Amino acid sequence: MKILVVDDFSTMRRIIKNLLRDLGFTNVEEADDGNTALPMLKTGKFDFLITDWNMPGMTGIDLLKSVRADDNLKTLPVLMVTAEAKRDQIVAAAQAGVNGYVVKPFTAAVLKEKIEKIFERIG
Amino acid sequence: MTDKNPDMPMDDDSSAFEMQLSQQAESLLAHVQKGDFAGAVQVIAELNETRDKTLYHEVGRLTRSLHDSIRNFNIDAGTKAQREEMSKIADASDRLAYVVEMTSKAANKTLDLVEEAMPIASSLKSEAHELKKEWEKLRRKELTPDEFRALYKRIDVFLSDLEGKSDQVYGYLSDILMAQDFQDLTGQVIQKVTDLVRQVEDNLVKLVAMAGKVDRITGIQHDLEEQEHDESAGHGPQMNTEKRDDVVSGQDDVDDLLSSLGF
């Protein structure tokens, strides 16, 4: 299981990476926005994407849309972990094909639950 | 504020202006009725001058007040070291950059220490787990004398290990405690910046009120275009979420919303 964590703040990437390690996921790479993430996704054979929304360069929602528009990536499970809390945005993310939405600040238990739920659904 | 009376009543100014305006209008009418057109033109020139003076006066006063607000934005740092630290950062955006830097340093330091402490805790846990299994065998009298001697040694090693590593973890925890000292400094800086924003806002509100008056005097109308927000850009963290309908107030709200969408 190879996971890409995209967030413009390195501390948040570290927190998520540590939580993922506790869940048994050790093959984790990082990117600081959509523009750096997308080429990594295209070549890196990732199994799961965790992304923030609000980032300079390419935002998380645009990254999600690019992933869904790419024939090789469109089935990649995407979990959004973000401070964006407007109902419209959550609906927009759902419409863009997000697999899960975690609003910051979040707990380790919530992240775990959402990740497990996504894997359960994909089977 | 150096201006002793920053809230100098603008309405007095404006009523003085209006009074002067109506006096001049009456005098203009009188001149026209008398057929004294040279006099009338003179009054029109005076009218213009009155209008310009009022505008200059208002703009000047507000500009001064804004200047004062910005100039008065100084942090009263306590110690000499703090003053030196503060003198390095002369304006609000530098100060906020300082807050970002301090909080980021603290977060990284805390994460470093946590990442140091976690493997120690898990190695102690796994050794304790192994020893517990051996210990249970001992209690069930299933250990050979050789195994017992090995366990005896192992417990000895574990206990001294435990002592040293607990000390180490305790040290990391107290370093994590100390890494929270940024809150005091960043809190002060943010309060100062908030005060500045408030002062500037007060003055901007006055400026807007004055601009409204200028529009009234000059009869200017504006086509106000709705500013569109790029929805993909994001809004950042939301405040007072409990009191608002357009934002979720936590993960439970998100889950409810998503399940209503069929998730």
Side-chain angles (χ1 to χ4, degrees):
Chain A
M1 172 66 61
K2 194 174 171 190
I3 302 177
L4 183 64
V5 175
V6 190
D7 198 304
D8 52 333
F9 280 90
S10 64
T11 43
M12 186 46 68
R13 295 199 299 270
R14 283 181 75 179
I15 289 170
I16 294 175
K17 234 175 141 173
N18 272 296
L19 292 173
L20 288 172
R21 202 194 42 230
D22 283 350
L23 296 174
F25 303 113
T26 49
N27 193 1
V28 179
E29 290 192 23
E30 303 176 24
D32 60 3
D33 85 325
N35 288 329
T36 39
L38 201 55
M40 290 173 80
L41 289 169
K42 282 182 175 167
T43 55
K45 296 192 171 61
F46 285 93
D47 304 293
F48 191 48
L49 169 64
I50 297 179
T51 182
D52 184 21
W53 182 311
N54 197 357
M55 294 177 289
M58 191 197 282
T59 62
I61 188 77
D62 287 340
L63 176 63
L64 171 64
K65 287 173 183 166
S66 306
V67 164
R68 289 293 173 253
D70 185 310
D71 276 343
N72 296 316
L73 296 174
K74 62 184 175 195
T75 59
L76 180 73
V78 179
L79 176 67
M80 203 150 232
V81 178
T82 174
E84 299 300 322
K86 291 198 155 220
R87 289 178 184 277
D88 294 349
Q89 292 178 296
I90 298 165
V91 173
Q95 281 165 350
V98 83
N99 299 83
Y101 200 103
V102 171
V103 69
K104 292 177 191 170
F106 61 95
T107 62
V110 164
L111 188 74
K112 180 171 187 269
E113 181 203 324
K114 301 304 166 199
I115 290 175
E116 280 169 354
K117 211 169 152 192
I118 289 171
F119 289 139
E120 216 172 85
R121 229 183 281 122
I122 320 165
Chain B
M1 294 247 177
T2 48
D3 190 348
K4 291 284 181 242
N5 189 3
D7 295 313
M8 198 158 66
M10 212 189 262
D11 286 346
D12 277 10
D13 284 359
S14 94
S15 65
F17 167 67
E18 278 162 21
M19 222 198 306
Q20 211 173 345
L21 204 61
S22 76
Q23 278 169 5
Q24 284 169 328
E26 276 169 28
S27 133
L28 176 63
L29 188 65
H31 281 294
V32 173
Q33 279 167 347
K34 275 192 286 182
D36 174 11
F37 291 103
V41 170
Q42 174 65 32
V43 176
I44 290 172
E46 281 168 19
L47 268 169
N48 266 330
E49 203 183 314
T50 306
R51 188 194 66 172
D52 291 348
K53 260 195 209 153
T54 311
L55 292 184
Y56 289 143
H57 179 68
E58 292 275 321
V59 171
R61 197 164 57 81
L62 280 149
T63 310
R64 260 198 315 282
S65 169
L66 268 172
H67 262 279
D68 288 344
S69 297
I70 291 165
R71 209 180 42 225
N72 286 337
F73 180 54
N74 291 310
I75 282 199
D76 309 314
T79 67
K80 191 168 175 254
Q82 276 174 324
R83 266 201 300 282
E84 277 167 6
E85 189 59 38
M86 296 304 181
S87 71
K88 288 184 208 153
I89 41 174
D91 66 78
S93 54
D94 276 359
R95 284 168 198 223
L96 290 178
Y98 167 81
V99 169
V100 171
E101 190 198 315
M102 291 280 280
T103 50
S104 149
K105 237 194 249 167
N108 277 309
K109 191 173 177 197
T110 304
L111 284 164
D112 286 344
L113 292 161
V114 168
E115 283 173 3
E116 291 284 336
M118 276 175 155
I120 298 176
S122 47
S123 84
L124 285 177
K125 184 193 162 181
S126 70
E127 181 63 5
H129 183 75
E130 292 301 315
L131 283 175
K132 197 173 157 220
K133 279 197 291 193
E134 292 292 297
W135 187 253
E136 275 160 9
K137 269 197 202 167
L138 173 70
R139 284 172 54 175
R140 292 197 300 268
K141 300 189 168 53
E142 290 169 6
L143 282 191
T144 66
D146 276 353
E147 282 173 332
F148 176 75
R149 269 190 292 277
L151 176 62
Y152 184 88
K153 254 192 205 157
R154 207 168 157 184
I155 286 180
D156 205 39
V157 171
F158 178 68
L159 286 178
S160 56
D161 213 24
L162 183 61
E163 200 179 14
K165 285 179 173 172
S166 305
D167 256 358
Q168 228 180 323
V169 171
Y170 190 91
Y172 292 141
L173 289 175
S174 58
D175 288 347
I176 288 172
L177 183 91
M178 290 314 294
Q180 313 309 311
D181 66 349
F182 72 92
Q183 174 62 28
D184 170 43
L185 294 171
T186 57
Q188 288 181 46
V189 172
I190 290 172
Q191 265 166 14
K192 292 287 176 182
V193 175
T194 309
D195 286 347
L196 171 74
V197 170
R198 215 168 270 146
Q199 283 178 28
V200 171
E201 192 197 10
D202 281 352
N203 286 311
L204 279 179
V205 167
K206 286 179 201 158
L207 196 63
V208 168
M210 194 200 68
K213 228 184 285 173
V214 170
D215 287 349
R216 224 178 57 219
I217 294 166
T218 55
I220 297 171
Q221 289 191 338
H222 300 276
D223 292 329
L224 289 178
E225 281 175 39
E226 283 267 323
Q227 286 199 344
E228 273 187 36
H229 180 80
D230 177 9
E231 274 310 312
S232 84
H235 303 269
Q238 300 288 333
M239 315 292 141
N240 301 321
T241 53
E242 281 81 10
K243 295 177 198 145
R244 293 174 53 185
D245 290 336
D246 61 331
V247 295
V248 294
S249 61
Q251 190 62 40
D252 288 346
D253 265 8
V254 175
D255 294 350
D256 288 349
L257 179 59
L258 286 177
S259 73
S260 79
L261 295 168
F263 264 70

